[in-house]
Amino acid sequence: MLTWQVAGHGPLRALDERLGRAVASGGLPAGPAEFLADLGNTAVALPVLAAAVVRSLWRGRRDARQRAGDGAAPPRWWLPPLAAALTAAAVPALVVPLKLWLARPGPAAMAGAPDGFYPSGHAATAAVLYGLAALLLYRGRRQTPGRRRVGPAVASGLVLLDAGVGTGLVRRGYHWPLDVLGSWCLAGVLLALWWAVCDRWAAGERRAVGLAWTPRARGHREGADGARPAAP
């Protein structure tokens, strides 16, 4: 709906531009707004995601070695961080064609810049890359009662961070509000797909581990080790 309103010069687009001019004219001080807007730069967000990917790979490799030593089927520990890297690469692959197709002019502060402000690349980068980093770390935590309390805290932190980046972009006149909202919608789809894919892999891994540790499988394994096989 947002894209249709922007492309068709609908009433929501006119309201959006009035709101954008009002936000850019005052409110949040320029210094903090610039800082928040800069958090959407790839040079800032990409190292954060890279650190989370490296930590996820290290922890997954360590856990896989422990499980292999216990005789369990080794999990595909490298799949969530690999999927995170591919999801991050999908951001410019989706945002840039939309920008070129819609060619929306920017606010007055961006006069002279080439058209193509919807959706916001900075807002999409911040939402997806920081979101992936947080979700990678969250999924890597052990299943404990405290893990249930971490989820809402992670979600709240991401919402506040994305809201700050979006507010900074509009306050500094780099984007219209709908540019930011469209990027958040896109980010929500990408993060949900990443989570669904990881859950599917995890479910297949649990099935594989469960089959590996059935009583019959344990009996064959003990027999191979020279111990007495389990009774049928």
Side-chain angles (χ1 to χ4, degrees):
M1 185 196 71
L2 297 179
T3 304
W4 166 60
Q5 285 291 301
V6 170
H9 295 266
L12 190 59
R13 172 169 170 167
L15 178 63
D16 170 60
E17 293 177 358
R18 288 199 298 271
L19 177 62
R21 285 190 288 268
V23 173
S25 63
L28 185 67
E34 185 71 25
F35 171 78
L36 291 171
D38 286 343
L39 294 179
N41 286 330
T42 304
V44 178
L46 188 58
V48 175
L49 176 60
V53 167
V54 170
R55 186 180 186 278
S56 179
L57 288 170
W58 172 79
R59 185 163 188 169
R61 178 61 175 169
R62 184 197 63 185
D63 293 346
R65 287 179 175 176
Q66 290 177 352
R67 296 179 66 175
D70 293 337
R76 292 174 288 184
W77 50 270
W78 44 270
L79 287 175
L82 173 61
L86 294 176
T87 303
V91 173
L94 294 172
V95 168
V96 172
L98 281 172
K99 284 177 172 286
L100 296 177
W101 174 46
L102 294 170
R104 184 186 190 185
M110 302 303 293
D115 292 344
F117 285 81
Y118 179 94
S120 167
H122 282 67
T125 297
V128 175
L129 271 61
Y130 294 136
L132 288 170
L135 292 175
L136 275 174
L137 298 177
Y138 173 72
R139 288 186 70 95
R141 292 176 59 89
R142 295 186 181 276
Q143 298 287 345
T144 61
R147 189 175 188 265
R148 298 193 186 99
R149 295 191 293 269
V150 174
V154 170
S156 300
L158 287 174
V159 168
L160 291 175
L161 176 61
D162 290 337
V165 173
T167 302
L169 291 170
V170 177
R171 169 64 180 86
R172 295 297 292 154
Y174 298 145
H175 278 287
W176 303 109
L178 282 187
D179 302 344
V180 175
L181 289 177
S183 295
W184 288 349
C185 292
L186 178 62
V189 172
L190 291 176
L191 292 176
L193 286 174
W194 177 85
W195 188 270
V197 169
C198 290
D199 274 355
R200 185 176 181 85
W201 286 335
E205 174 191 318
R206 286 192 294 268
R207 286 194 298 270
V209 172
L211 289 174
W213 282 93
T214 58
R216 184 177 297 273
R218 286 198 302 270
H220 286 303
R221 187 174 295 108
E222 291 172 1
D225 293 339
R228 181 178 178 181

